[in-house]
Structure formats: C-alpha cells, structure tokens
Amino acid sequence: MVPANPNPSVAVIFWHYDGVRPSLMAAGTVISAEEAERRVLMLINPTLSAPYTTDTIYAGLQLILPGETAPAHRHTAFALRFIVEGSGGFTAVEGEKMMMERGDVVLTPSWSWHDHGNEGDGPMIWLDGLDLPVYRFLPISFAENYAESRYPSTLATGSSPNKIPWSTVAKELNANIATEPCSRYDYRLNGQQGQQAHHISRTISAQAERIAAGSTTTPSRETCSFVYHVYEGEGYSTIVAPGGKGEKKVSWKARDTFSVAAWSSISHTCTLESGQAYLFTVNDWPLVEALGLARKE
C-alpha cells in the first residue's frame, strides 16, 4: 500500500487515428446515434477494462453523421469534448447551442442537459474526456434522459463559458513563438467578479502544448495522468514509467491519441523540418490537487 514510487495500474497505450477511424465509421453503418444514444469508440487501456483509459480518465472517439441527433440527457459525470474532425456540428448545453470546429473544446458540466447534432455535410468526430473511473470508487454515477430528442435551445451569440475555441488557445501558445521553442496553455474558466480563474471542472481539466520543429520539451513528472491527442504536427514522446521501470518512445502525427500513467517522466520532440506541433491533453490535475496530492518534478 505504500510503495517507493507511485504505482499506477495503466500502461502507455497508443491509438493511430488512421487505424481506429475505419472502425468508428463502420459503427455508423451498424447503429444510429439515436439507438446508441452516444456512438463512441472507447479507448480502453488493456491493462484494465472499461471505463479506464488511465486510472482516473475515460476517453473515447464519438461520431455524429450528417443529419443525426444524439438524444438529450444529463449525467453525474463531467465531460469535455475536443473536436477532431468535421464542421457544422453542434452541442447544446442547458439550452445554449454551440457550433463546433476542429480544435474547439466544449464542456458539459455535471447534471447539465445536453445533446449533439450534425448540420454539416460530413462526419463530426471528437475526443470525449470524462471522469467516469472516479465513480468506480464512488458508485453514485447515474443519468436521466430528456423526454424529447432535443432539449430546447437557441444559438449562442458571442463567447460561452462552455466553449473554448482553438483560436484562443493557439493565440496564447504562439504569443512568443519567435523566442520560445515550446509553450504550454492550461485551460481555465474565468471566475466571478473578484475571483481568480479556475480549473474547468473539479475532477479533470486540459492543457495544450506547442513544440517547434526540431525542439524537445524539458522532461517533466507529475502526480497526474494524461490522455494526449495530436492536433497538428509530427514527432515522438519519450515516456519513462514511474520508478524508472522502462522507457517507451511513442511516435505520433496529427489526430493520434495516447495515454500516459501518473508520475511518468514525459518529454515531447517535434520532428518537422519547419513549423510547429500542437498537443491537446486531458489531465486529472484538479482531482489530484483537491486531495492535496499534487507533486511536480
């Protein structure tokens, strides 16, 4: 119970987008969004079982085809969505309809009515990040379906607290692009007047990183786990397991996804000859921090 190093259960697992996308699209011919309620290819860590992508984070790739609506419901779990592919899709949260573009993050806070739809011409695919594994320890997770397929909503005008556009994130990451080869952006929500910005939820949050061509980030180790998704670029990540139990090199390109266990040493290298690589990451830092277990090295 008290080892010399943190001892997470999960291993580093990698999902090539080119390899998993055909299965996700095949699912679209087998079952409708209405039948499935949520048509998702779950990214499950084989060292455990569903819903574990890491010890505390669940991730999956969700598909909405043109003209489809994923029925309205609400649930205890918090969810964030990182848009991977498509245009013309939307998520409506508590009556606020938000259009989604690649790289946007859309939040569905705990117990908020929400539905998804696709008004575009092609498939909408996004990465779901939820805190579902937490409810294996606290078995109080449940959901409620809305009486109709759509919860009444109107199109959002201006900014929304439940949507963080990629343009906002990219602007911050590129602020010092001429002088700094690497940068990091931590997703935050603005507090009420007089309050500081805070994590996007009490359990999971997100970050984004930029790595310039030919550059490598400084290795870091934290007591939180990660699900990485490559927004753009090519490169590899060097991951050393807790306690130095093996090193793994994960090569990646745009739209690939991989998971990293807590207290692993991580560094990222961009192998492009020019330009930048951008990584989006779901983490469990708010949960770890709230429990007083936050450590960085």
Side-chain angles (χ1 to χ4, degrees):
M1 293 299 296
V2 190
N5 292 283
N7 192 27
S9 303
V10 297
V12 175
I13 303 297
F14 183 83
W15 293 274
H16 287 283
Y17 190 67
D18 292 343
V20 298
R21 188 183 187 277
S23 296
L24 183 58
M25 295 306 298
T29 68
V30 175
I31 187 170
S32 70
E34 289 77 12
E35 290 175 299
E37 190 165 342
R38 296 295 185 268
R39 188 199 290 115
V40 182
L41 182 69
M42 298 190 292
L43 305 179
I44 301 304
N45 204 296
T47 58
L48 294 170
S49 59
Y52 294 97
T53 305
T54 75
D55 287 287
T56 53
I57 301 170
Y58 157 84
L61 292 169
Q62 184 167 168
L63 169 68
I64 302 288
L65 294 172
E68 287 188 328
T69 296
H73 68 191
R74 60 182 178 180
H75 42 68
T76 311
F78 170 86
L80 63 83
R81 334 279 179 180
F82 183 79
I83 313 307
V84 175
E85 178 182 337
S87 180
F90 69 85
T91 289
V93 179
E94 288 291 328
E96 183 184 45
K97 179 181 177 182
M98 296 165 286
M99 304 307 294
M100 305 184 295
E101 300 293 338
R102 183 166 175 250
D104 292 348
V105 168
V106 175
L107 312 179
T108 54
S110 175
W111 212 241
S112 296
W113 289 113
H114 60 280
D115 52 59
H116 313 290
N118 186 350
E119 299 172 348
D121 299 326
M124 287 295 303
I125 299 174
W126 59 80
L127 179 73
D128 282 327
L130 286 85
D131 52 8
L132 285 174
V134 174
Y135 294 102
R136 299 298 292 269
F137 302 98
L138 298 170
I140 53 174
S141 177
F142 60 103
E144 179 182 2
N145 293 325
Y146 191 64
E148 306 293 335
S149 62
R150 292 291 316 278
Y151 185 83
S153 63
T154 56
L155 187 63
T157 57
S159 61
S160 168
N162 289 318
K163 177 181 173 180
I164 302 99
W166 177 254
S167 58
T168 299
V169 177
K171 181 179 179 180
E172 293 293 330
L173 289 174
N174 296 334
N176 298 311
I177 197 170
T179 57
E180 296 181 4
C182 305
S183 59
R184 170 171 163 166
Y185 174 88
D186 290 297
Y187 285 74
R188 293 285 190 272
L189 296 179
N190 293 326
Q192 297 178 354
Q193 188 173 7
Q195 295 180 338
Q196 292 184 339
H198 52 83
H199 293 298
I200 59 177
S201 85
R202 292 185 175 92
T203 49
I204 60 175
S205 194
Q207 66 195 55
E209 297 179 63
R210 174 184 61 82
I211 310 104
S215 299
T216 299
T217 63
T218 302
S220 63
R221 177 179 283 133
E222 303 175 64
T223 48
C224 63
S225 59
F226 305 93
V227 176
Y228 284 92
H229 180 82
V230 184
Y231 174 77
E232 187 176 287
E234 296 182 11
Y236 63 87
S237 297
T238 304
I239 304 163
V240 181
K245 299 176 182 178
E247 178 178 304
K248 192 165 186 176
K249 180 180 175 180
V250 175
S251 297
W252 39 257
K253 57 185 177 59
R255 295 188 170 106
D256 291 341
T257 304
F258 59 100
S259 64
V260 178
W263 206 239
S264 299
S265 175
I266 312 167
S267 65
H268 309 295
T269 300
C270 176
T271 56
L272 295 172
E273 293 184 0
S274 62
Q276 315 287 322
Y278 296 90
L279 303 177
F280 169 80
T281 314
V282 184
N283 63 50
D284 55 7
W285 193 254
L287 176 64
V288 172
E289 189 175 66
L291 293 172
L293 303 176
R295 304 286 187 275
K296 293 184 180 182
E297 185 179 274

